[in-house]
Amino acid sequence: MKTGLQQHAGLRQELKVNPRLYQAMDLLYMPLLDLQQHLKQELLTNPFLELVEPEDEDDDSTDPEEAASEPQDLAESETTTEAEPEKTGDDDVDWEAVLLDGFETGGQREEHEEREWYEPVTVATKDLSDHLTEQLSLLELSPRQAFLADEFVGNINDDGYLACLLTEIQRGVNELLVREADEREIEGNVPEFSDTEMLQVLQIIQDLDPPGVGARDLRECLLLQLRAAGQRDTLAYRLVEEAFEELIGHRWSELSKRFGISAQEVQGAADEIKKLDPKPGLRYSAGGDNYIIPDLVVDKIDGQYHIFLNDGNLPRLKLSRAYREIARDKKRFDTESKDFIASKLNSANWMIQAIEQRRQTMLKVMHYIVDRQKDFFERGVQALKPLTLREVAEAVGMHESTVSRVTNEKFVQTPRGVLPLKFFFSSGLSTADGDDVSARGIKDQIEKLVAGEDPKHPLTDQAIVEVLQQTGVQIARRTVAKYRDQLGVLPARMRKRV
C-alpha cells in the first residue's frame, strides 16, 4: 500500500446558507422591541437607509417592490431612473464629502440621529442587599461585627436565604483576617471569629427586615416570621418547630393525636402558616418589570376577526435619494469605494425586503392560527384545538423552523387577553365523537373541577378521569396526574379538609 499525499478530483453537492438568509432569519426571530433597536442601529451604520417621514408615507421609494428592483451593483444603478433628491433640511452638510471621507464630516447628522433615538434608561432601585446594608448602618456594631455582617449580607440570595453554610462563611472570613494581617504586617495572632460570634451576628441579620431573612432553610424562615409576628406561643409555631415533616405532608390525623387536639384545629393552624412568605427576599428583588408589547393584534369587527401588525412604532425605512444620486457617478470613486458603496446599497435593499418578508410571514401564520382556533376566541380555553408547528408549516407553505421563529417570543393581543403565540400550540387527545381536544383545554377542565370540588371529599385522579370520560375525552389516569402536577395541584389526600 502506497502512503503519501494524493489529490483527487470529484463533484459533490453542498448546501451553503447565504449571509442574507441568515439576516432574514434573524429578523424573523426578533421580538418587536429587539427589531426596533436593530433597525435604529442599521440607520446609524448604513448611509443608504433613512427614515420615512409622515409626509413621505405615499412616496414610491418606500415600496418594498421598488426596493427589490434597486440595483445590485453600481453598473446597474447608472441605468436606473431616479427622481430629484429630496430636500433634507440639512443644507449645510456636504453629503458628498461625507461619503468620500468615511463619514467623518457628518457630525451634524450623527448628533441629530443620536438625539432622535435617545431613550432614557430605567432608574436603578435598591435591592435586598442595599436594604439590609442600610439597616446595619443604623446599628451600633463593633468593627468585627460590621465586617462579619457584611459577609453575611453578601451570602444571602434573592429569596432571602443564607446561600452557604456557617462553617464556610467562618472559614472565609478567617482567611481574610489572616491575609489582611499579613498585608499590614501586623505582629501577633489575629483572633479568629468563633462559633459564638458567628451565631451572634447571624441573629442580628435575622432580626432585620423583612422577617425571615437570613434563614438557612424553610423551617427556620417560617419560625422567624412567626416570632416577628408575636406568635411564639401559638399552635402554628409548635407545629413548625416540632413537627415540620408531618405538617408539610398534611398528616392531620397524626398531628391531632400527637398534640391532643382536633384535626380541625391542626388545619386552622396550617392555614395561618400558609399566609407566611416562603421567599421574603423577593419583595426587594432588583429585577425590573417586564413589559410586553404585542407583535400582532386580533380584533373582532362586525363579527369577523381581523389581524393587524402592531408595528406603528417600528422605524419605516427607505433608500436615501441623496446618497443614491452620489453613488450613481461611479467614475468619481476608486475600486475600494465602489465595493463599499455597492455593499451598503445592496444591504439597504435587502434590509427593506427582509422587513417586508417578516411582516407577510407573521400575518400569514397568524391568519392560519385564527382560522384554526376560532372556537377558542368564541368560547375560551376549553375550545382550544390541538395544533403543531408542522401543521401550520404545511398549511402556509413554509418550513417548520420558519414557523418556529415566527412564534418564538412573539405575543398577540386578542379579545381574550395578550397571549404568547406558543399558547395556541399544544398536543391533543381524542374524544368519543372522533374530534381532538387540546391538552391545554384538558388542563383548564381539570383546574375547574378541582376548584369546584367538595373540600371534604376531593376528587381523586381516577374520579377526574371518569368525569372527563363522561364528556367524551379519552384520557389515562397517569395523564391526569401529570397535568395536575403541571398545574401545581396537590393530590386528593393532601387537598382533603376534615
Side-chain angles (χ1 to χ4, degrees):
M1 178 178 180
K2 183 185 292 185
T3 61
L5 296 176
Q6 298 179 359
Q7 291 182 337
H8 298 279
L11 295 175
R12 64 176 181 179
Q13 290 183 337
E14 193 174 80
L15 179 62
K16 290 187 177 180
V17 181
N18 191 305
R20 292 179 177 178
L21 184 56
Y22 276 121
Q23 184 186 43
M25 290 189 295
D26 287 341
L27 291 179
L28 198 60
Y29 187 83
M30 290 180 186
L32 190 60
L33 290 178
D34 292 346
L35 182 60
Q36 287 178 359
Q37 296 301 319
H38 180 75
L39 295 185
K40 292 174 186 178
Q41 186 63 32
E42 286 292 325
L43 281 167
L44 294 175
T45 58
N46 194 330
F48 286 94
L49 288 174
E50 65 180 19
L51 279 176
V52 177
E53 302 297 337
E55 60 270 16
D56 299 332
E57 287 293 339
D58 297 329
D59 197 327
D60 292 338
S61 62
T62 63
D63 191 348
E65 295 182 0
E66 180 181 344
S69 64
E70 284 294 330
Q72 299 303 306
D73 54 55
L74 289 180
E76 294 178 354
S77 69
E78 288 186 326
T79 63
T80 305
T81 302
E82 297 292 344
E84 291 297 321
E86 297 176 330
K87 299 296 183 181
T88 61
D90 294 329
D91 297 333
D92 55 338
V93 179
D94 188 350
W95 297 111
E96 183 176 346
V98 170
L99 184 59
L100 294 175
D101 298 336
F103 314 108
E104 296 298 330
T105 62
Q108 295 182 10
R109 183 188 184 193
E110 182 178 353
E111 292 172 4
H112 168 73
E113 289 181 344
E114 287 181 357
R115 288 196 300 271
E116 182 177 359
W117 294 115
Y118 172 76
E119 295 181 2
V121 298
T122 305
V123 178
T125 57
K126 292 191 299 184
D127 58 8
L128 178 62
S129 178
D130 295 329
H131 182 64
L132 297 176
T133 302
E134 187 177 83
Q135 295 177 72
L136 289 172
S137 66
L138 302 177
L139 302 178
E140 295 182 359
L141 302 178
S142 66
R144 285 176 63 86
Q145 287 178 322
F147 175 77
L148 184 55
D150 185 62
E151 289 297 316
F152 271 112
V153 170
N155 284 281
I156 293 177
N157 60 25
D158 291 340
D159 293 340
Y161 289 86
L162 201 60
C164 56
L165 300 175
L166 280 180
T167 54
E168 296 178 359
I169 299 177
Q170 186 178 18
R171 182 172 61 253
V173 293
N174 286 333
E175 289 177 357
L176 287 175
L177 284 178
V178 174
R179 190 182 310 163
E180 185 176 353
D182 292 340
E183 291 176 354
R184 296 185 180 184
E185 297 182 354
I186 300 176
E187 298 181 357
N189 294 328
V190 178
E192 295 185 343
F193 287 99
S194 63
D195 295 344
T196 302
E197 284 181 294
M198 297 294 296
L199 293 174
Q200 288 176 347
V201 176
L202 177 61
Q203 182 63 49
I204 293 174
I205 297 295
Q206 291 180 345
D207 288 339
L208 300 177
D209 180 76
V213 71
R216 288 161 286 185
D217 53 38
L218 177 60
R219 175 176 171 274
E220 186 176 30
C221 180
L222 299 178
L223 289 174
L224 290 172
Q225 293 182 59
L226 290 170
R227 290 174 198 166
Q231 300 184 30
R232 192 159 190 163
D233 297 328
T234 61
L235 175 61
Y237 189 91
R238 290 185 61 195
L239 290 175
V240 175
E241 184 178 38
E242 302 175 19
F244 188 64
E245 293 299 326
E246 292 83 353
L247 179 66
I248 61 177
H250 291 206
R251 296 197 282 270
W252 311 133
S253 299
E254 293 182 25
L255 291 172
S256 63
K257 295 177 181 178
R258 178 174 172 178
F259 290 91
I261 55 177
S262 65
Q264 289 84 350
E265 291 178 292
V266 174
Q267 286 189 343
D271 291 339
E272 292 298 318
I273 296 171
K274 288 181 182 179
K275 299 177 182 178
L276 303 177
D277 189 355
K279 298 181 179 180
L282 290 184
R283 70 184 72 172
Y284 296 99
S285 174
D289 295 329
N290 293 323
Y291 296 95
I292 293 175
I293 297 181
D295 301 82
L296 296 147
V297 177
V298 176
D299 200 4
K300 190 175 185 180
I301 303 174
D302 297 331
Q304 298 294 326
Y305 288 100
H306 297 267
I307 302 169
F308 309 94
L309 278 169
N310 185 31
D311 58 356
N313 294 326
L314 198 66
R316 297 288 187 182
L317 304 181
K318 67 176 182 178
L319 294 176
S320 171
R321 289 185 176 180
Y323 274 94
R324 285 185 293 172
E325 289 292 334
I326 296 173
R328 181 179 299 175
D329 189 4
K330 68 175 184 178
K331 296 179 180 180
R332 303 166 59 184
F333 307 111
D334 55 24
T335 303
E336 184 177 352
S337 298
K338 291 177 187 177
D339 294 340
F340 172 80
I341 295 170
S343 173
K344 289 296 183 181
L345 182 57
N346 290 337
S347 177
N349 277 322
W350 183 259
M351 176 63 67
I352 294 174
Q353 294 177 51
I355 294 172
E356 181 61 23
Q357 182 181 6
R358 178 185 186 274
R359 288 166 50 86
Q360 298 303 325
T361 302
M362 292 182 64
L363 286 173
K364 190 181 295 185
V365 170
M366 195 65 219
H367 271 292
Y368 182 81
I369 291 176
V370 172
D371 290 340
R372 172 69 173 169
Q373 304 292 5
K374 188 174 182 179
D375 290 342
F376 160 76
F377 293 105
E378 295 290 342
R379 308 203 312 265
V381 178
Q382 292 188 8
L384 198 65
K385 295 180 179 179
L387 185 64
T388 63
L389 294 175
R390 182 183 297 275
E391 179 183 346
V392 177
E394 292 175 353
V396 300
M398 298 177 182
H399 194 272
E400 188 174 342
S401 63
T402 303
V403 178
S404 177
R405 288 184 175 89
V406 171
T407 57
N408 186 70
E409 295 186 20
K410 306 294 193 309
F411 292 83
V412 57
Q413 178 179 314
T414 73
R416 294 193 173 273
V418 177
L419 303 169
L421 262 64
K422 293 290 187 182
F423 172 86
F424 298 99
F425 294 85
S426 65
S427 57
L429 296 171
S430 300
T431 60
D433 54 8
D435 294 332
D436 290 335
V437 61
S438 167
R440 199 180 301 276
I442 297 297
K443 290 181 183 179
D444 183 72
Q445 293 186 51
I446 293 174
E447 200 168 20
K448 289 182 178 180
L449 287 173
V450 172
E453 68 185 0
D454 182 1
K456 294 184 178 181
H457 302 89
L459 294 171
T460 63
D461 293 342
Q462 184 59 40
I464 294 176
V465 168
E466 294 172 358
V467 173
L468 292 177
Q469 287 179 345
Q470 291 175 6
T471 63
V473 177
Q474 306 298 322
I475 189 172
R477 186 189 61 79
R478 62 178 179 275
T479 306
V480 170
K482 180 180 72 173
Y483 289 169
R484 177 177 51 73
D485 289 338
Q486 293 175 353
L487 292 169
V489 177
L490 297 172
R493 177 184 62 80
M494 301 183 72
R495 301 198 309 270
K496 185 176 182 180
R497 307 285 296 184
V498 295

